[in-house]
Amino acid sequence: MTTDQDAAMMRRCLALASSARARGEVPYAAVIGRNGRMVCESINRANADRDVTQHAELVAISQAQKALGTSSLDDCTLYTLVEPCPMCAYAMREVRIGRVVYGLGSPVMGGHSRWNILGDDGLSSRMPEVFATPPDIVAGFFTHEAAAVMQAWNPLFWTFVELRDLIRADVLHGTKRGRKRSLAAASLRWMVDRLWRR
Ligand SMILES: [Zn+2]
């Protein structure tokens, strides 16, 4: 289920991605919200910084951790135009992001539909003191708008992407089962955060 606040956050994400061209970046962006309020936002910085790790999602996660003063983003939602890559998906699991909302699917490079890192419950079952159960995932949100941003950024790029089926509107639908809450696991994580992660 999505709300008006989800729509507002995703619209902000689309606007940010649209602004990327003027900054010499690819049209990716991420917004992190908590209790309906925006915590932080970022476009990709990989080109500007010449640093492949500076995907919009990772930059936003880093900003959110600093802004909230915590290593754990349990009660946050991350919004992004395209299914996160495996690198970003893993970081989301490590910060225990509570919910992920994305638009287009990424069948070749995705951290949900190709390699199901976002939805993998092996992490939380084997290491419940570090990983929470998989986040709630909403996929296929604002797909037409996200595709329009990509196409406007570079029509030739978008033709290439469509021909090779790299990004698509037909997405793997997300888990809406609700994060499982275990008091014992939450207590363990609380201790680990204080002793180790801070
Ligand atoms: Zn990424």
Side-chain angles (χ1 to χ4, degrees):
M1 197 181 85
T2 52
T3 64
D4 290 347
Q5 287 149 342
D6 291 326
M9 301 273 185
M10 189 55 110
R11 284 199 189 93
R12 177 61 192 153
C13 205
L14 289 159
L16 276 171
S18 297
S19 75
R21 184 176 180 170
R23 304 191 219 180
E25 278 293 351
V26 288
Y28 292 91
V31 167
I32 293 180
R34 186 197 202 194
N35 301 326
R37 301 182 116 166
M38 187 184 296
V39 174
C40 63
E41 60 180 37
S42 184
I43 61 166
N44 239 52
R45 296 209 322 228
N47 287 343
D49 293 358
R50 298 206 192 290
D51 181 347
V52 73
T53 68
Q54 297 299 287
H55 285 189
E57 298 96 319
L58 288 190
V59 177
I61 286 169
S62 173
Q63 288 178 356
Q65 287 189 293
K66 291 182 179 83
L68 299 173
T70 176
S71 57
S72 190
L73 305 180
D74 289 90
D75 50 0
C76 293
T77 299
L78 186 145
Y79 302 84
T80 183
L81 269 62
V82 180
E83 177 185 339
C85 77
M87 172 174 73
C88 296
Y90 185 83
M92 288 177 207
R93 293 302 305 273
E94 193 155 330
V95 295
R96 307 173 195 143
I97 197 88
R99 187 164 169 259
V100 180
V101 178
Y102 68 82
L104 300 160
S106 178
V108 177
M109 296 168 284
H112 181 212
S113 62
R114 175 75 192 274
W115 295 285
N116 189 15
I117 295 167
L118 280 183
D120 181 285
D121 55 13
L123 288 166
S124 47
S125 63
R126 294 291 295 274
M127 288 188 75
E129 58 282 277
V130 175
F131 294 97
T133 53
D136 291 335
I137 301 167
V138 177
F141 195 52
F142 280 68
T143 50
H144 297 301
E145 293 83 351
V149 167
M150 297 257 156
Q151 188 169 29
W153 178 76
N154 186 326
L156 192 61
F157 157 83
W158 186 245
T159 302
F160 169 81
V161 161
E162 284 198 305
L163 282 174
R164 299 189 66 180
D165 194 25
L166 301 180
I167 297 175
R168 61 162 84 149
D170 174 22
V171 296
L172 172 74
H173 281 287
T175 50
K176 291 171 187 162
R177 55 192 167 183
R179 171 169 277 181
K180 289 184 202 131
R181 306 275 173 190
S182 152
L183 187 59
S187 304
L188 274 171
R189 289 195 287 272
W190 185 87
M191 279 197 302
V192 165
D193 284 355
R194 265 136 202 88
L195 293 172
W196 173 31
R197 305 206 317 170
R198 290 172 204 265

